[in-house]
Amino acid sequence: MNSPMVKGWFDELASNTGMRVLDTWYLGMRQLNTTEKAGPVYKPEDLKGMKIRMPNNEAFMDMGRAIGCNPTPMGFGEVYLALKLGTIDGQDNPLPTDLSAMFVEVTKYIILTDHSIGMINPVINEKFWQSLPFEYKTYIIKALEVARYYMNYLVLEQESKLLKQFVDEYNMEIIVPDKEAFMNLARDFYSDEKFDKAWGEGMYETIQSYPLN
């Protein structure tokens, strides 16, 4: 997300919307989280018929379909009660969110699917950004870079501690699923031509072939 390739897309975004994305910070891996009644999930087939809450937009709904569940759109503020009442069978979020929203009180299983990477993008008004002296821009970019590394460190550290806390304090069970099965299902789902039309033909291959170093 901080590569020259993606920064090129951010330039297009700034031109089209007036919003300048300045950086990308790690918010945590999204993991599946199900109730005791719904049961554990080890493979995509286990999700068949399960109502898993997703944010109410098409990208998230598609993500739910890509991992094999019945995605159920719902506002974030409704999720806790819906889990408690059994209106939904589960939800997905980064681990810190599961704790801060206290979903750990009304669920039993954390399934380590790592199916999506949560992120935060600091954004600034493009017109204002372009009005700043080069020196100011340099200071801001460097400050954001320092903040990124610190933010990433804090989230990674928190993730490493939370699983133990979930087990010790909330009697939850941590499930390591067949990630390859989920990856294969998602790859097949996103091979549909509608995604080439939406993202540009060959986008998946472009991203996969991009050098990481």
Side-chain angles (χ1 to χ4, degrees):
M1 291 300 293
N2 290 308
S3 69
M5 176 178 68
V6 177
K7 287 180 179 178
W9 298 340
F10 288 159
D11 287 340
E12 292 181 28
L13 181 69
S15 297
N16 294 333
T17 67
M19 297 188 300
R20 166 66 58 178
V21 177
L22 295 176
D23 207 14
T24 301
W25 300 350
Y26 179 63
L27 184 59
M29 290 286 192
R30 294 182 80 93
Q31 314 288 5
L32 281 175
N33 174 212
T34 57
T35 64
E36 185 169 13
K37 183 178 179 181
V41 172
Y42 294 93
K43 54 188 183 299
E45 292 83 353
D46 297 334
L47 277 173
K48 187 175 182 180
M50 276 200 195
K51 295 181 179 179
I52 303 296
R53 176 265 176 180
M54 291 287 164
N56 191 15
N57 68 62
E58 194 62 19
F60 275 102
M61 294 294 284
D62 277 337
M63 184 177 72
R65 298 178 188 113
I67 60 174
C69 75
N70 177 16
T72 302
M74 182 178 291
F76 186 81
E78 304 171 62
V79 177
Y80 182 95
L81 187 58
L83 288 166
K84 186 174 183 179
L85 297 177
T87 308
I88 55 175
D89 299 306
Q91 60 90 38
D92 86 305
N93 262 299
L95 299 178
T97 305
D98 292 337
L99 180 63
S100 63
M102 296 310 295
F103 297 147
V104 290
E105 292 183 339
V106 288
T107 57
K108 177 66 175 178
Y109 304 99
I110 295 288
I111 300 98
L112 301 177
T113 45
D114 293 335
H115 58 272
S116 179
I117 301 177
M119 61 188 73
I120 295 176
N121 292 108
V123 176
I124 195 170
N125 177 273
E126 171 69 358
K127 186 175 181 180
F128 175 70
W129 176 249
Q130 296 302 338
S131 73
L132 294 175
F134 177 79
E135 185 180 19
Y136 285 17
K137 291 180 182 178
T138 302
Y139 292 154
I140 292 171
I141 292 297
K142 287 297 181 184
L144 286 167
E145 187 175 294
V146 172
R148 182 208 313 159
Y149 282 109
Y150 185 56
M151 168 78 171
N152 293 356
Y153 166 78
L154 290 177
V155 175
L156 288 165
E157 182 183 47
Q158 187 179 24
E159 283 184 313
S160 69
K161 295 178 179 179
L162 282 177
L163 292 177
K164 185 176 187 303
Q165 182 179 353
F166 289 172
V167 172
D168 292 347
E169 295 184 20
Y170 298 97
N171 198 32
M172 300 189 78
E173 292 186 27
I174 311 302
I175 305 296
V176 179
D178 182 352
K179 286 178 64 174
E180 186 174 356
F182 280 101
M183 292 166 69
N184 290 336
L185 182 67
R187 187 178 296 112
D188 289 343
F189 179 83
Y190 286 114
S191 67
D192 190 283
E193 63 180 10
K194 81 170 188 176
F195 297 107
D196 271 349
K197 291 179 180 177
W199 303 339
E201 189 172 355
M203 181 57 67
Y204 175 82
E205 290 76 13
T206 298
I207 293 173
Q208 291 298 315
S209 65
Y210 196 84
L212 296 179
N213 297 319

